[in-house]
Amino acid sequence: MGLFDDALNRVKGEMAGGAESQSGLMGVVMGLINNQPGGLSGLVSQLTQGGLGNAVSSWVGMGENQPVSGDAIQQALGSDKIQELAAKAGISSDALSSGLAQMLPGVVDKLTPNGEVPSGDLMEQGLAMLKGKLFG
């Protein structure tokens, strides 16, 4: 999990705005990735299939990250998912969508440092890293 935590800490450090709202949104982003079938890869696929292919490719790739709108995030993830996540976070659907639109490009970018989505989910990667450090 160190890889994931390190990437999220770097994203948090680069984002502007209130620390409290960022922390809550970062929890939503972490949950979104961790609870997505396929983890990060599954989220990237869902966003790509939801019409954000060019933007997501820029986040994964080595160049500048293309921005997306909250409306585009809501359309790609689905209104029901956004409402569910917003209720858990205790914020409006619009606020959640806007926050995800601001945070997801940086998070995906930091979790794909070599310009490709890592195979497997983040939990598997974290466990593999731990096994290597403890038993290697």
Side-chain angles (χ1 to χ4, degrees):
M1 297 280 252
L3 171 69
F4 187 66
D5 291 334
D6 181 52
L8 291 177
N9 286 334
R10 284 187 277 158
V11 170
K12 281 190 218 179
E14 293 175 8
M15 300 293 294
E20 189 173 309
S21 64
Q22 283 183 15
S23 176
L25 281 172
M26 190 56 70
V28 171
V29 171
M30 289 169 48
L32 183 63
I33 293 170
N34 287 328
N35 296 323
Q36 178 76 26
L40 179 61
S41 178
L43 179 61
V44 165
S45 293
Q46 183 176 3
L47 293 171
T48 299
Q49 292 170 3
L52 299 178
N54 289 337
V56 172
S57 291
S58 76
W59 307 344
V60 172
M62 303 297 276
E64 189 173 329
N65 295 335
Q66 284 183 11
V68 293
S69 69
D71 289 340
I73 291 290
Q74 186 163 353
Q75 184 176 1
L77 294 177
S79 294
D80 290 344
K81 185 67 170 178
I82 293 294
Q83 289 174 359
E84 173 192 333
L85 294 171
K88 285 182 182 177
I91 59 176
S92 72
S93 295
D94 288 342
L96 180 76
S97 296
S98 295
L100 289 176
Q102 290 176 357
M103 295 192 100
L104 277 175
V107 171
V108 172
D109 181 57
K110 297 301 181 197
L111 293 175
T112 56
N114 297 322
E116 16 181 280
V117 178
S119 60
D121 65 23
L122 293 172
M123 183 68 80
E124 289 174 11
Q125 292 175 37
L127 290 173
M129 286 174 49
L130 283 174
K131 286 179 185 176
K133 288 182 180 179
L134 295 176
F135 303 112

